[in-house]
Amino acid sequence: MKRYTHIVLFRIPPLNGFSIKTLEGKFLSDIRPRGIVRELNRLNDRIKELEAKVDKLHDLEKWLEGR
């Protein structure tokens, strides 16, 4: 599954930059790829947190249906 695309930006002075396009079409740009990786990791952690909450809600829903 291709999740992100990588684009090298040559117009960011004084160093070359990096840009990643997410599936939602949002561009994450930075001179250092560390900033992009940090943002992607933060988003990934948030996704995992939301998925865990959804699982808890599904468990609660099943429990309520069984009563």
Side-chain angles (χ1 to χ4, degrees):
M1 176 173 87
K2 189 172 183 179
R3 199 165 164 169
Y4 302 99
T5 57
H6 174 267
I7 301 166
V8 178
L9 302 175
F10 293 105
R11 296 185 193 129
I12 298 179
L15 304 171
N16 293 336
F18 298 91
S19 181
I20 292 179
K21 183 179 179 182
T22 64
L23 290 175
E24 299 81 24
K26 180 180 176 185
F27 281 94
L28 303 173
S29 302
D30 202 335
I31 292 174
R32 288 176 234 76
R34 241 183 282 171
I36 296 171
V37 170
R38 187 180 311 119
E39 178 68 13
L40 291 174
N41 287 334
R42 187 188 67 75
L43 292 171
N44 194 32
D45 291 343
R46 181 69 177 141
I47 289 168
K48 287 180 183 178
E49 179 185 320
L50 292 172
E51 287 174 344
K53 288 181 180 181
V54 167
D55 289 342
K56 288 179 183 179
L57 288 173
H58 284 297
D59 291 343
L60 179 61
E61 184 180 39
K62 287 179 186 177
W63 182 78
L64 289 173
E65 287 175 358
R67 290 180 86 192

